[in-house]
């Protein structure tokens, strides 16, 4: 019986890389799972030139291969990129374009999406990236259909993910595609992470009080609001509490938080509902009341619209390894 050759996954490293981001594809694709009946991947870490690289954590790593390794890889992962979005080396851009032309699957995790976009691989495609730099991505690459609210996006042979943990979800998605749900679930259990988060699910971003608010006249009010989200609030009642006219209060609130009163309240209530669902066993109705939505129906409607899944499904993900 002829044994199939292992799929080669090449991971791109660079000077100053985050060890965590580099470890994500290495952990998912580098572990030997042959005893579980899953064919082993051939994992290769490469850089512009072989040799020592610094990491963002203060220690070094040794990379044994250059970008010639990308010519043999069926899957190429760019696990992140420099936080300052430094220019991408032309050698990397050329290697990615060549790999794309021959049909390799190209993956950009977190800020790695900027590298794929710079190479032109995302033109006319849907993509995502870390929410903190989504606006900059949209400005630089208007030809890409950016979806900043989701965990990961697959558009043809190109995949992109949001930040940090979403990279794990994206890699597990690839493992699931190639070797089935059970293989991905076993890998997730070993890593103690949720076995499957849909790519269209929203990035879990809590929206605390903006730094500019601290020390501002509105800071005490926002602190108080955070403790009384379960109560009903109106623009008029909040303006009165802040000793401002509704018009002045609305203007000052947007200046301080970057959003409207209603949207800020809803974001805070969604974040509170997430925390309650993650850490407790209250009924959905009780969570709805405590987080200020009033009813389970209202919670399901607003939570699903904001997060992308129902509250009960969100809870199951966080209880999977409880």
């Amino acid at each position: 019986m002829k044994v199939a050759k292992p799929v080669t996954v090449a991971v791109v490293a660079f000077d100053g890389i985050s060890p965590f981001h580099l470890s994500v594809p290495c952990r998912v694709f580098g572990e030997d799972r042959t005893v579980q009946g899953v064919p082993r991947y051939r994992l290769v870490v490469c850089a512009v030139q072989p040799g020592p690289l610094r990491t963002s954590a203060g220690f070094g790593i040794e990379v044994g291969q250059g970008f010639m390794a990308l010519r043999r890889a069926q899957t190429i992962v760019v696990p992140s990129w420099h936080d300052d979005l430094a220019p991408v080396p032309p050698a990397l851009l050329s290697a990615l374009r060549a790999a794309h032309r021959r049909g390799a699957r190209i993956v950009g995790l977190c800020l790695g999406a900027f590298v794929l976009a710079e190479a032109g691989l995302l033109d006319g495609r849907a993509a995502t990236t870390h929410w903190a730099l989504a606006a900059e991505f949209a400005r630089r690459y208007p030809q890409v259909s950016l979806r900043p609210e989701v965990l990961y996006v697959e558009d043809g042979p190109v995949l992109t993910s949001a930040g940090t943990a979403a990279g794990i979800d994206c890699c597990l998605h690839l493992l699931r595609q190639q070797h089935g749900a059970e293989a991905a679930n076993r890998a997730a259990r070993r890593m103690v992470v949720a076995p499957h988060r849909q790519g269209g699910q929203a990035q879990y971003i809590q929206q605390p009080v903006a730094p500019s608010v601290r020390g501002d006249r509105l800071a005490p009010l926002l602190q108080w609001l955070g403790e009384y989200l379960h109560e009903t609030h109106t623009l008029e009642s909040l303006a009165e509490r802040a000793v401002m006219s509704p018009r002045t209060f609305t203007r000052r609130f947007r200046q301080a938080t970057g959003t409207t009163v209603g949207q800020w309240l809803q974001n805070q209530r969604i974040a509170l509902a997430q925390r309650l669902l993650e850490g407790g066993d209250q009924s959905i109705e009780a969570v709805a009341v405590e987080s200020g939505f009033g009813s389970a129906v209202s919670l399901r409607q607003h939570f699903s619209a904001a997060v992308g899944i129902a509250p009960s499904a969100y809870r199951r993900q966080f209880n999977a390894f409880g």
Side-chain angles (χ1 to χ4, degrees):
M1 180 178 178
K2 185 177 180 180
V3 179
K5 295 178 64 176
V7 172
T8 297
V9 177
V11 181
V12 175
F14 52 88
D15 201 48
I17 194 170
S18 157
F20 178 86
H21 287 91
L22 178 61
S23 73
V24 167
C26 294
R27 185 70 176 86
V28 174
F29 301 113
E31 184 176 344
D32 185 355
R33 302 185 183 92
T34 52
V35 295
Q36 302 167 3
V38 179
R40 186 168 187 173
Y41 289 93
R42 179 177 180 269
L43 183 75
V44 179
V45 177
C46 59
V48 176
Q49 293 181 335
L53 293 177
R54 296 169 298 174
T55 71
S56 61
F59 60 84
I61 57 175
E62 187 77 21
V63 177
Q65 299 201 42
F67 286 161
M68 288 288 290
L70 301 182
R71 296 183 178 183
R72 304 185 298 274
Q74 286 81 35
T75 299
I76 296 171
V77 182
V78 183
S80 186
W81 195 241
H82 301 280
D83 290 344
D84 62 358
L85 304 179
V88 184
L92 176 55
L93 296 177
S94 297
L96 291 175
R97 292 172 185 139
H100 179 69
R101 286 194 296 269
R102 65 175 172 78
R105 176 165 287 184
I106 316 292
V107 183
L109 305 179
C110 193
L111 299 186
F114 279 81
V115 178
L116 272 59
E118 190 66 24
L121 306 188
L122 298 178
D123 290 359
R125 299 183 185 274
T128 192
T129 190
H130 194 291
W131 64 269
L133 287 171
E136 178 62 18
F137 186 98
R139 186 190 69 80
R140 291 191 181 199
Y141 309 110
Q143 66 275 29
V144 180
S145 177
L146 182 65
R147 298 181 60 193
E149 75 283 1
V150 301
L151 293 174
Y152 57 89
V153 177
E154 180 176 16
D155 193 330
V158 182
L159 286 87
T160 51
S161 84
T164 314
I168 299 175
D169 297 312
C170 185
C171 290
L172 287 174
H173 169 72
L174 282 174
L175 181 61
R176 181 177 295 103
Q177 278 189 337
Q178 294 169 353
H179 298 299
E182 181 57 29
N185 290 346
R186 287 184 179 182
R189 285 195 290 271
R190 287 288 298 273
M191 299 170 69
V192 197
V193 297
H196 189 199
R197 295 202 293 173
Q198 295 285 351
Q201 186 170 322
Q203 299 183 30
Y204 297 134
I205 309 165
Q206 294 185 11
Q207 300 188 14
V209 177
S212 61
V213 175
R214 299 188 179 98
D216 186 272
R217 183 177 170 184
L218 290 180
L221 173 66
L222 296 183
Q223 183 67 35
W224 176 84
L225 268 176
E227 298 172 3
Y228 291 91
L229 291 172
H230 58 284
E231 296 188 358
T232 300
H233 304 286
T234 65
L235 176 61
E236 289 73 20
S237 68
L238 294 176
E240 182 179 356
R241 189 176 185 90
V243 195
M244 299 179 188
S245 69
R247 182 176 180 179
T248 299
F249 177 72
T250 299
R251 175 174 54 80
R252 289 289 301 277
F253 194 96
R254 181 178 283 278
Q255 287 174 345
T257 67
T259 189
T260 65
V261 176
Q263 189 61 56
W264 188 90
L265 278 170
Q266 180 163 309
N267 291 342
Q268 296 300 312
R269 285 168 170 159
I270 290 292
L272 175 56
Q274 287 179 303
R275 294 194 294 272
L276 294 172
L277 291 166
E278 292 166 15
D281 56 2
Q282 296 171 283
S283 67
I284 299 298
E285 188 72 38
V287 170
V289 172
E290 187 170 343
S291 58
F293 287 101
S295 69
V297 172
S298 179
L299 171 63
R300 291 188 184 100
Q301 176 184 350
H302 290 96
F303 194 95
S304 297
V307 182
I309 58 173
S312 56
Y314 184 91
R315 166 174 279 166
R316 282 196 298 272
Q317 290 183 344
F318 281 87
N319 289 342
F321 300 97

